[in-house]
């Protein structure tokens, strides 16, 4: 009787989910109708995977993980299969997850053989005393958790490899001229610098969760780690406030503590999730020269998806309302 009452009581509770497949210079003229539809279909599949869990009264963490798994397994996005290449022609993957109930978090960085890095990030959160594990150590822990391992070539895609060749050519040419590695990377087009997938969700129990997964920056070197596995920068969740997953030029998101900043504005300044997210992405970050966007959700299921780039692959679903799948500002 008690269980039946709880299930019934949850039926009218707000629940929502939002996902993203990265922000960047996404020009409509560069995507054929077939390509556009492929992205929309995959975003729809991913949000459906998470929403189905929420509809049945399931956990927000499970919903976030399920949605991200779909995106990690698709070659369309810079996470899992389809991850960008490092300067040396390999793939180094980062991911993080955060549970709004207790502020628990788990993250992995620089992993090279984990099929779904978001799954390992969750295992770090739930099965280890740590928040972030890196590289070989993270994969040693993954063995103890029975994670699915793949060869590094599992993540290969032709279009990402062509991006690497183009980026390396530009970096090498610039370095030869100016002898300045920082300048050679900074002059790259923004599309080389980021690309991420993520999800945020509010379940019927009022629990918020966020997850972010990425292949990082094209032609990255020296073990570079971006914002995706950094709690407070590319990922954040706190019950009663909000959950955030970011995509953008990670160095700026780390320096400006973007995800946590948005939630702080909601929590301490009583700003709406839409206002808080807009202020950070379209004002503070723009002033600093940072590019990217976020998906954000508050404790009532309200969603914001601001970005300061040409486009951002994203989808939102509030309760049982129709799904909204978008790439550009208005479509």
């Amino acid at each position: 009787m008690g269980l039946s009452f709880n299930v019934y009581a949850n039926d009218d509770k707000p629940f929502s989910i939002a996902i993203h497949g990265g922000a960047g210079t996404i020009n409509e003229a560069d995507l054929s109708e077939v390509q556009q539809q492929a992205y929309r279909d995959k975003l729809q599949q991913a949000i459906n995977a998470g929403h189905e869990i929420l509809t049945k009264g399931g956990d927000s963490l499970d919903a976030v993980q399920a949605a991200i798994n779909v995106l990690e397994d698709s070659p369309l996005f810079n996470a899992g299969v389809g991850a960008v290449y490092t300067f040396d022609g390999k793939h180094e993957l980062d991911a993080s997850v955060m549970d709004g109930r207790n502020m628990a978090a788990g993250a992995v960085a620089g992993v090279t053989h984990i099929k779904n890095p978001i799954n390992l990030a969750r295992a770090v959160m739930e099965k280890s005393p740590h928040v972030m594990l890196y590289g070989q150590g993270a994969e040693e822990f993954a063995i103890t958790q029975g994670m699915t391992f793949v060869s590094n070539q599992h993540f290969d895609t032709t279009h990402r490899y062509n991006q690497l060749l183009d980026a390396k050519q530009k970096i090498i040419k610039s370095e030869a001229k100016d002898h300045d590695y920082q300048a050679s990377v900074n002059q790259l087009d923004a599309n080389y610098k980021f690309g991420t997938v993520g999800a945020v969700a509010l379940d019927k129990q009022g629990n918020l969760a966020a997850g972010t997964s990425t292949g990082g920056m094209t032609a990255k070197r020296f073990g570079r780690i971006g914002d995706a596995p950094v709690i407070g920068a590319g990922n954040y969740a706190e019950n009663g406030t909000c959950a955030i997953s970011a995509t953008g030029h990670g160095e700026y998101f780390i320096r400006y503590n973007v995800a946590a900043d948005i939630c702080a504005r909601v929590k301490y300044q009583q700003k709406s999730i839409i206002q808080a997210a807009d202020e950070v992405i379209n004002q503070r970050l723009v002033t600093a020269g940072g590019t990217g966007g976020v998906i954000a959700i508050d404790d009532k299921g309200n969603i914001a998806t601001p970005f300061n780039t040409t486009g951002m692959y994203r989808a939102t679903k509030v309760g049982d309302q129709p799904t909204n799948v978008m790439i550009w500002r208005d479509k």
Side-chain angles (χ1 to χ4, degrees):
M1 182 68 111
L3 178 61
S4 297
F5 175 78
N6 288 337
V7 171
Y8 176 78
N10 284 335
D11 284 348
D12 60 355
K13 296 290 186 181
F15 66 100
S16 300
I17 183 170
I19 66 171
H20 72 79
T25 309
I26 308 167
N27 294 315
E28 187 170 356
D30 295 335
L31 287 179
S32 68
E33 289 292 333
V34 172
Q35 290 173 317
Q36 289 183 36
Q37 195 59 49
Y39 278 105
R40 294 182 190 277
D41 288 347
K42 190 56 63 173
L43 290 167
Q44 183 73 60
Q45 180 187 347
I47 203 165
N48 285 350
H51 181 263
E52 182 178 359
I53 292 170
L54 297 176
T55 299
K56 295 176 179 177
D59 190 86
S60 56
L61 271 172
D62 292 337
V64 162
Q65 184 176 349
I68 291 176
N69 281 166
V70 172
L71 301 175
E72 287 178 329
D73 290 340
S74 168
L76 295 174
F77 307 100
N78 177 17
V81 178
V84 298
Y85 288 78
T86 67
F87 193 88
D88 296 327
K90 300 185 184 302
H91 306 278
E92 296 177 356
L93 313 178
D94 308 329
S96 66
V97 66
M98 191 164 187
D99 185 347
R101 280 173 289 211
N102 54 7
M103 308 293 286
V108 293
V111 296
T112 56
H113 298 97
I114 305 301
K115 181 176 182 290
N116 294 105
I118 197 70
N119 297 0
L120 182 55
R122 184 168 180 179
V124 171
M125 177 180 73
E126 295 179 338
K127 305 295 185 180
S128 87
H130 310 301
V131 170
M132 185 186 291
L133 300 181
Y134 174 78
Q136 182 179 340
E139 297 196 348
E140 289 173 358
F141 174 73
I143 293 173
T144 72
Q145 300 303 307
M147 289 286 142
T148 301
F149 278 68
V150 294
S151 71
N152 198 246
Q153 289 71 41
H154 170 80
F155 307 110
D156 289 356
T157 52
T158 301
H159 73 287
R160 295 297 188 194
Y161 186 68
N162 290 335
Q163 280 185 340
L164 170 67
L165 297 180
D166 188 49
K168 282 183 69 171
Q169 183 181 40
K170 291 176 179 177
I171 290 172
I172 291 170
K173 182 178 180 181
S174 178
E175 274 193 288
K177 177 183 177 182
D178 303 319
H179 306 287
D180 187 338
Y181 172 64
Q182 182 178 14
S184 71
V185 172
N186 286 342
Q187 58 86 36
L188 285 176
D189 180 85
N191 269 358
Y192 295 110
K193 297 177 182 176
F194 52 81
T196 318
V197 306
V200 294
L202 171 73
D203 63 30
K204 292 182 179 182
Q205 290 72 43
N207 298 313
L208 290 164
T212 309
S213 182
T214 186
M217 179 187 290
T218 301
K220 61 184 178 180
R221 298 163 83 177
F222 313 120
R224 180 262 186 186
I225 298 171
D227 66 305
V230 179
I231 303 303
N235 207 42
Y236 198 76
E238 181 179 2
N239 274 16
T241 306
C242 70
I244 309 286
S245 176
T247 170
H249 190 169
E251 280 67 18
Y252 286 91
F253 281 70
I254 293 171
R255 288 163 52 197
Y256 287 85
N257 202 33
V258 165
D261 186 12
I262 293 170
C263 287
R265 292 168 189 245
V266 173
K267 183 174 183 178
Y268 299 117
Q269 298 180 342
Q270 287 76 53
K271 291 181 176 176
S272 72
I273 191 67
I274 293 174
Q275 181 181 0
D278 180 71
E279 285 179 357
V280 174
I281 296 300
N282 289 315
Q283 296 178 39
R284 191 160 193 247
L285 209 57
V286 167
T287 300
T291 50
V294 298
I295 50 173
I297 189 169
D298 68 13
D299 63 333
K300 297 177 180 61
N302 298 307
I303 294 172
T305 63
F307 55 96
N308 59 34
T309 52
T310 308
M312 182 170 77
Y313 300 108
R314 64 202 189 278
T316 62
K317 192 169 180 66
V318 178
D320 291 319
Q321 296 177 23
T323 303
N324 191 15
V325 179
M326 302 182 77
I327 300 176
W328 297 282
R329 302 263 170 222
D330 54 354
K331 63 179 178 177

